[in-house]
Amino acid sequence: MKNICLIPARGGSKRIPKKNIKLFFGKPLIYWSINEAKLSNLFDEIYVSTDDLEIAKIAEIYGAKVPFIRPNEISNDYANDKDVRDHFLKWMSNNNL
């Protein structure tokens, strides 16, 4: 069984729009999550679940897999990490991963 990391990264933050691609110490914020997951040596694969194409592209540049764009119904202010996780697990199951 593979050890998988799932990083949720919504593009529609109300307080700081697109915060996941804002630079922090010269790198997009999403980079730091991906990099820490890599450095931990705990994961075989790192996935990012996002509703934003720009976040997806940047996440892929830094080595995360982004196999889908998250649907709107779990990308709003009321969606939570459980919704995102359940969606991802269903996607994994549907794709025999």
Side-chain angles (χ1 to χ4, degrees):
M1 176 184 261
K2 291 183 180 183
N3 290 318
I4 294 173
C5 174
L6 176 61
I7 301 169
R10 191 166 69 101
S13 172
K14 297 283 190 243
R15 287 177 279 176
I16 305 172
K18 297 214 179 198
K19 69 181 173 196
N20 289 294
I21 59 173
K22 299 278 188 208
L23 295 184
F24 181 73
F25 288 98
K27 302 274 188 188
L29 191 59
I30 190 72
Y31 159 83
W32 299 102
S33 297
I34 295 167
N35 191 55
E36 287 302 313
K38 285 180 176 180
L39 290 174
S40 75
N41 291 315
L42 294 173
F43 305 107
D44 300 308
E45 296 177 340
I46 301 166
Y47 287 87
V48 169
S49 174
T50 186
D51 59 330
D52 186 277
L53 287 172
E54 193 172 9
I55 293 171
K57 288 177 187 175
I58 291 170
E60 288 175 335
I61 288 168
Y62 290 111
K65 296 180 179 186
V66 187
F68 55 80
I69 296 299
R70 192 181 335 149
N72 291 336
E73 58 268 13
I74 56 169
S75 298
N76 58 39
D77 292 342
Y78 305 104
N80 58 46
D81 288 341
K82 180 185 180 306
D83 297 331
V84 173
R85 183 200 63 216
D86 290 350
H87 175 264
F88 177 76
L89 291 173
K90 184 176 179 182
W91 177 86
M92 293 282 290
S93 177
N94 289 344
N95 287 279
N96 299 313
L97 298 173

